[in-house]
Amino acid sequence: MPDVANSAAPIPRLFKILAAFLVVTLFALMPMAVTAQSLLPGSGASASEDPASEQPAAADPTPLATLLEVLKDDTAREALIADLEKTVTPEASADGLAALEQVAQAASDDGISIGRQIALITQEIGQDAASTLSSFWAALKGGGGVFSGLSGAEISVLLDAVPGLLAVIAITVVLFVVLRRFARQVYKRMGRKSQNTGVLGSIGLFLGSNLLDALIVIIAWAAGYLITIFAVGDFGQIGIRQSMYLNAFLLVEMTKVIIRSFLSPVASGLRIVPVSDLAARALTRYLSIVVSVLGYGQLLIVPIVNQSVNTAAGSGVSALLSVMVLLYFVYIVVRRRKDVTRWLQNEADTTLPIEAEETTVDMPTRRQHGFIMRTVMGLAGIWHWAALTYIAGMFIVVMTQPADVTLNAIVGSGKILAAIIIAALLSGWLARAVHRGVLLPDDINAKLPLLERRINTFVPRAFSLLRLVLLACVLLFTLDVIGMIDMRGWLESQFGLAVTTAMISVGLILTVSFGLWLALTSFVDYKLNPEYGAVPTSRETTLLTLMRNAVTIALVILTLMFVLSEIGLDIGPLLASAGVLGLAIGFGAQKMVQDIITGVFIQFENVINVGDVITVGGTTGTVEKLSVRSVSLRDVQGVFHMIPFSTVDMVSNYMRGFAYTVTDMGIAYRENIEEAKQAMFDAFDRMMANEPDIAENIIGGLEWFGVQSLGDSAVVLRTRIKTEPGKQWGIGRMFNGYLKTVFDERGIEIPFPQQTIWLGENKDGTTQPFKIEGPAAKGQTPVVEKPTKKIEADDVPDSDESDGDADADGGADR
């Protein structure tokens, strides 16, 4: 099958890379948004819940006392309400010019110029920005306070906790490493096997490998619990620290299982992320170290420090671990920046061969591709700056914000990263599906030869639309996580529910409509396929084609109505308007309505089919096209005629059941009728013996009608031969040839028009001499008859020769 997506491959792939950079940029700005929200007054929960933030308000009760006095005074309270109403609901001006005039008038009344008013507004904006930056700088300078709780005693506390945890750590780690070592060979075999199996087999192997990986973690965790309870310490008891370690082990290692399920560093055949083996192993190692430090640190070390020292020390340890992870990320980005840059540029560069093959692409498209390519190459070279920006933002969050804000930022980063990975995997699968197309089995292609082409016409477009929807979802999710929009609130609102419900309903309607149309066209294709089942007749072909067209139109109209109804449009007035419009069209296009109604009855009465030889509207020809409002003919001279059904009063069809070729042969008055009759029967017998192709299309023998008429110069004898429909004209011509031969052999004269030549005479009775010489007198040779081209039986009679009473010298063998 031809590649269905080569022409469209460059733009979607480059668009995907640009979209990825956009998401990464938003991802990098998330820590800044978290920090800014926490610094704004009253913008975060932590600020409102911090007791220290409430102390200044409690220490200065003067504003509250003043407000209380105002509320107690009725006059002051009314004045305050009036001022607030003026502030909250100002009178809106008619347009921008009126608003400017009001500002100018107010400034003039107060004695302040417009320039001063603008200066005051800009001054207020600048002061607010300076206040925000000052708060941010103060928080950054005081960031060292997160480590103020560290006293050095934390190390001794952790060292004291090691002996109690050493046994259970050794048990779980040793058992886990041993089981993983044995499972590595199993993973490799499953990976090799998945490369030679189908889709379902690969899915089964993928699920099996991940279940085995998770089972190893659960076995090591359960073994650690059992051995600790029954063999370590008091029988039947387990310490709180040992329990915390085992829970941390389970959560951390299950997180690593999820990471390995995507990257599969051991078995490349089970890897769903399109990276190399080296990259998969490196990413797995980096992420495992980060997960281990954060997981064991937050779930084990920090609780131990909180319990043994204080919460301030635990916060300091948590911040220290976060800083260590951020420094490790800096090391990874700096070390791998060139490798990632080359990978991004190679991903973009894969579009160049496709563009080179597209020799018919116009110059604007080539310039667009070149601009996008240069943009992508430039962005690929500075990806690490976006990553370092994110790390710097996270460092600021760690140094300036409480532990819960830091944790929220880390969790938000994880959510965005997971969304990007899932969307990238789905987008890659859709891109490969678009590039590969839908391949159907050979037996289905044989039965339905047009089905695969129809599917590959619509499905790639639908998959491209799904990729855009994925990108939009990732962008909206990212904006929601960093706090720029409230996606959940919008989805729970009445408008959001209406929009999402309408989108899902429209998608389902379009999918069902496409499925119904595909089933209908496939059914018609199957019925019209002569290689399966009975060969369709001309009537079946015509009716099935008309049914497919009519049902397609009806399905499109119904789908459009349902879609308009689902998006909130009232289709009642639309239907009423369509009815009025239809009535107007009916009056204005009466001929077209008459054509359609007549055509429907003609089709149901099986009067005309494609391939028939008919006479309609005074024109005789072969039916090449038949629609619901017209019939198209091609006559014996090759002229194409389109005849509307509204002009049809009578239809003559030469292709129904059987046909007759009628021969009217004229003989001279002096000839014997019985001799001529016998000659005609002998000519028929000779034709039947010498022409087997003609004989097999003759149904009955020669029928003798007798003397048809006594003409001016001939006695007309009529015979008739019953033939297969459409063969009568060719058989009639062949019979005429044999008649001429037999009549010549037996000396039976066939009359022809004769003319008397009068030369005139003089008054004395003389006339001019008239000399007649034969061909031999002038030395001329007789004309030698050349063989003529045989007339094939594929023509139709001329319109003026199709009368049954005329000689059968027109027409076609069909």
Side-chain angles (χ1 to χ4, degrees):
M1 190 194 75
D3 190 358
V4 298
N6 276 354
S7 60
I11 291 297
R13 187 174 298 172
L14 297 177
F15 179 70
K16 179 177 70 174
I17 298 176
L18 290 173
F21 274 108
L22 177 60
V23 174
V24 168
T25 303
L26 293 175
F27 183 66
L29 295 177
M30 190 197 68
M32 305 297 183
V34 173
T35 304
Q37 290 177 2
S38 62
L39 291 175
L40 291 177
S43 62
S46 60
S48 61
E49 295 173 0
D50 190 2
S53 63
E54 298 178 359
Q55 291 177 1
D60 188 11
T62 304
L64 293 179
T66 304
L67 178 61
L68 181 61
E69 292 297 331
V70 171
L71 294 177
K72 288 181 178 181
D73 189 353
D74 296 336
T75 304
R77 185 172 66 252
E78 293 177 358
L80 177 61
I81 293 173
D83 292 338
L84 291 176
E85 288 178 349
K86 291 180 181 179
T87 304
V88 175
T89 58
E91 295 181 357
S93 58
D95 50 21
L97 182 59
L100 184 60
E101 291 177 355
Q102 291 180 1
V103 172
Q105 183 65 33
S108 177
D109 294 341
D110 294 339
I112 302 176
S113 63
I114 298 176
R116 184 173 178 80
Q117 289 283 345
I118 297 175
L120 291 175
I121 295 174
T122 55
Q123 180 185 13
E124 183 179 359
I125 295 174
Q127 288 177 352
D128 292 341
S131 177
T132 302
L133 291 176
S134 299
S135 301
F136 178 77
W137 179 251
L140 186 61
K141 287 198 303 181
V146 296
F147 302 116
S148 60
L150 298 177
S151 60
E154 296 82 10
I155 298 178
S156 61
V157 170
L158 294 177
L159 293 176
D160 293 339
V162 169
L165 296 173
L166 186 59
V168 64
I169 291 175
I171 293 170
T172 53
V173 171
V174 170
L175 183 59
F176 177 74
V177 171
V178 171
L179 292 176
R180 283 278 303 167
R181 180 68 62 179
F182 284 109
R184 287 177 65 89
Q185 300 301 324
V186 179
Y187 295 148
K188 292 181 180 179
R189 287 196 299 269
M190 296 175 74
R192 290 192 296 267
K193 186 175 180 181
S194 65
Q195 296 177 352
N196 301 320
T197 186
V199 176
L200 295 179
S202 299
I203 294 175
L205 292 172
F206 173 78
L207 296 177
S209 64
N210 289 295
L211 289 177
L212 178 60
D213 200 359
L215 183 61
I216 292 174
V217 175
I218 294 174
I219 291 175
W221 170 76
Y225 251 109
L226 293 176
I227 295 175
T228 303
I229 293 175
F230 295 106
V232 179
D234 297 334
F235 184 81
Q237 295 183 358
I238 185 172
I240 185 65
R241 294 180 178 178
Q242 296 167 340
S243 179
M244 286 192 299
Y245 163 74
L246 290 172
N247 293 334
F249 173 82
L250 180 63
L251 293 176
V252 169
E253 296 304 326
M254 291 301 291
T255 304
K256 294 180 182 179
V257 169
I258 297 175
I259 295 173
R260 288 193 293 269
S261 67
F262 283 95
L263 296 174
S264 186
V266 176
S268 59
L270 301 175
R271 188 178 304 140
I272 60 178
V273 177
V275 294
S276 63
D277 293 342
L278 180 62
R281 288 192 293 269
L283 287 173
T284 303
R285 182 172 65 254
Y286 295 151
L287 294 177
S288 298
I289 292 174
V290 171
V291 169
S292 299
V293 172
L294 291 179
Y296 288 112
Q298 297 295 333
L299 298 176
L300 180 62
I301 296 176
V302 172
I304 292 176
V305 174
N306 286 337
Q307 181 185 12
S308 302
V309 185
N310 52 51
T311 55
S315 299
V317 172
S318 176
L320 182 60
L321 293 174
S322 301
V323 171
M324 291 172 58
V325 170
L326 292 176
L327 293 176
Y328 184 64
F329 273 134
V330 171
Y331 162 75
I332 295 173
V333 170
V334 173
R335 181 181 178 184
R336 296 294 184 180
R337 66 183 188 280
K338 294 183 179 179
D339 298 334
V340 177
T341 298
R342 283 194 297 268
W343 178 76
L344 291 174
Q345 291 176 347
N346 290 334
E347 282 290 310
D349 193 50
T350 54
T351 62
L352 289 177
I354 297 176
E355 291 180 357
E357 295 175 1
E358 295 176 353
T359 57
T360 61
V361 177
D362 54 359
M363 290 305 297
T365 304
R366 290 183 178 273
R367 293 192 188 99
Q368 181 184 10
H369 288 187
F371 172 76
I372 296 177
M373 181 64 63
R374 289 192 298 271
T375 303
V376 170
M377 290 295 184
L379 293 175
I382 61 172
W383 74 270
H384 56 284
W385 290 111
L388 293 175
T389 302
Y390 166 76
I391 295 173
M394 287 300 301
F395 176 77
I396 294 173
V397 171
V398 171
M399 298 298 295
T400 61
Q401 302 303 316
D404 56 345
V405 177
T406 303
L407 181 61
N408 290 335
I410 295 174
V411 172
S413 301
K415 291 179 180 179
I416 296 175
L417 184 61
I420 294 174
I421 292 174
I422 295 174
L425 293 177
L426 293 177
S427 179
W429 179 79
L430 292 174
R432 289 190 296 271
V434 170
H435 185 80
R436 183 176 60 251
V438 179
L439 300 178
L440 298 178
D442 294 336
D443 56 340
I444 296 180
N445 283 326
K447 295 178 182 178
L448 306 172
L450 298 178
L451 179 60
E452 183 175 302
R453 187 176 68 181
R454 290 194 183 102
I455 293 176
N456 287 320
T457 301
F458 292 95
V459 171
R461 292 178 173 84
F463 282 0
S464 299
L465 181 61
L466 285 178
R467 295 177 67 190
L468 293 177
V469 171
L470 277 175
L471 174 62
C473 291
V474 172
L475 291 176
L476 292 175
F477 180 76
T478 303
L479 293 175
D480 178 70
V481 170
I482 66 179
M484 291 186 176
I485 62 173
D486 185 9
M487 195 64 189
R488 181 175 180 180
W490 181 81
L491 291 175
E492 292 177 351
S493 65
Q494 185 176 2
F495 179 74
L497 288 175
V499 172
T500 53
T501 303
M503 292 176 62
I504 295 174
S505 300
V506 169
L508 291 177
I509 290 172
L510 294 177
T511 303
V512 172
S513 299
F514 176 72
L516 292 176
W517 177 80
L518 204 61
L520 169 69
T521 53
S522 300
F523 171 76
V524 174
D525 291 342
Y526 178 76
K527 298 297 291 184
L528 296 180
N529 192 346
E531 298 181 1
Y532 291 88
V535 177
T537 62
S538 299
R539 181 171 182 266
E540 290 176 344
T541 302
T542 303
L543 289 178
L544 287 173
T545 303
L546 290 177
M547 182 191 72
R548 178 177 58 193
N549 296 336
V551 175
T552 299
I553 295 173
L555 190 61
V556 169
I557 294 175
L558 290 176
T559 302
L560 180 61
M561 292 298 177
F562 279 115
V563 169
L564 293 177
S565 177
E566 287 298 326
I567 64 178
L569 295 179
D570 187 6
I571 63 174
L574 184 61
L575 292 175
S577 302
V580 174
L581 181 63
L583 186 62
I585 293 176
F587 280 112
Q590 296 183 25
K591 284 291 185 181
M592 181 178 293
V593 175
Q594 184 180 357
D595 291 342
I596 295 174
I597 294 176
T598 306
V600 169
F601 281 101
I602 285 177
Q603 289 305 314
F604 279 106
E605 292 175 2
N606 194 21
V607 178
I608 304 173
N609 287 319
V610 175
D612 288 352
V613 179
I614 64 171
T615 297
V616 58
T619 303
T620 301
T622 305
V623 179
E624 289 192 354
K625 182 180 179 183
L626 187 63
S627 67
V628 75
R629 63 171 300 269
S630 66
V631 59
S632 300
L633 308 178
R634 190 176 297 276
D635 63 17
V636 71
Q637 297 177 351
V639 181
F640 186 80
H641 305 270
M642 195 280 289
I643 304 173
F645 283 128
S646 60
T647 63
V648 175
D649 295 327
M650 182 181 67
V651 178
S652 300
N653 196 325
Y654 300 95
M655 306 293 290
R656 286 294 179 269
F658 58 90
Y660 288 103
T661 175
V662 179
T663 303
D664 289 335
M665 179 59 66
I667 62 174
Y669 272 90
R670 65 185 176 86
E671 301 295 341
N672 187 287
I673 294 177
E674 291 299 326
E675 291 181 0
K677 174 183 177 181
Q678 186 60 42
M680 295 182 76
F681 276 93
D682 291 343
F684 176 77
D685 294 337
R686 186 181 298 182
M687 181 183 69
M688 294 291 289
N690 296 338
E691 305 291 341
D693 295 337
I694 295 294
E696 66 182 10
N697 292 316
I698 296 177
I699 299 176
L702 181 68
E703 300 180 20
W704 170 257
F705 278 64
V707 178
Q708 176 67 18
S709 64
L710 299 174
D712 294 338
S713 60
V715 177
V716 180
L717 307 179
R718 169 168 288 188
T719 60
R720 188 175 74 175
I721 303 173
K722 189 175 184 180
T723 68
E724 294 288 345
K727 305 295 182 180
Q728 61 267 37
W729 301 290
I731 294 175
R733 286 189 292 270
M734 184 66 68
F735 183 54
N736 289 337
Y738 276 94
L739 276 178
K740 178 67 168 58
T741 302
V742 173
F743 277 24
D744 290 345
E745 291 175 354
R746 300 183 183 184
I748 300 175
E749 180 183 356
I750 301 175
F752 56 90
Q754 299 184 14
Q755 205 171 29
T756 300
I757 301 176
W758 183 74
L759 299 179
E761 60 181 14
N762 298 325
K763 290 183 178 181
D764 57 1
T766 61
T767 184
Q768 60 182 355
F770 189 74
K771 186 177 181 181
I772 300 176
E773 293 182 356
K778 294 185 177 181
Q780 295 180 355
T781 58
V783 178
V784 179
E785 183 180 359
K786 297 181 180 180
T788 59
K789 181 181 179 182
K790 183 179 179 181
I791 299 177
E792 300 292 340
D794 58 355
D795 54 335
V796 298
D798 292 335
S799 300
D800 56 351
E801 296 176 345
S802 59
D803 188 4
D805 294 334
D807 287 343
D809 55 353
D813 288 341
R814 301 298 299 173

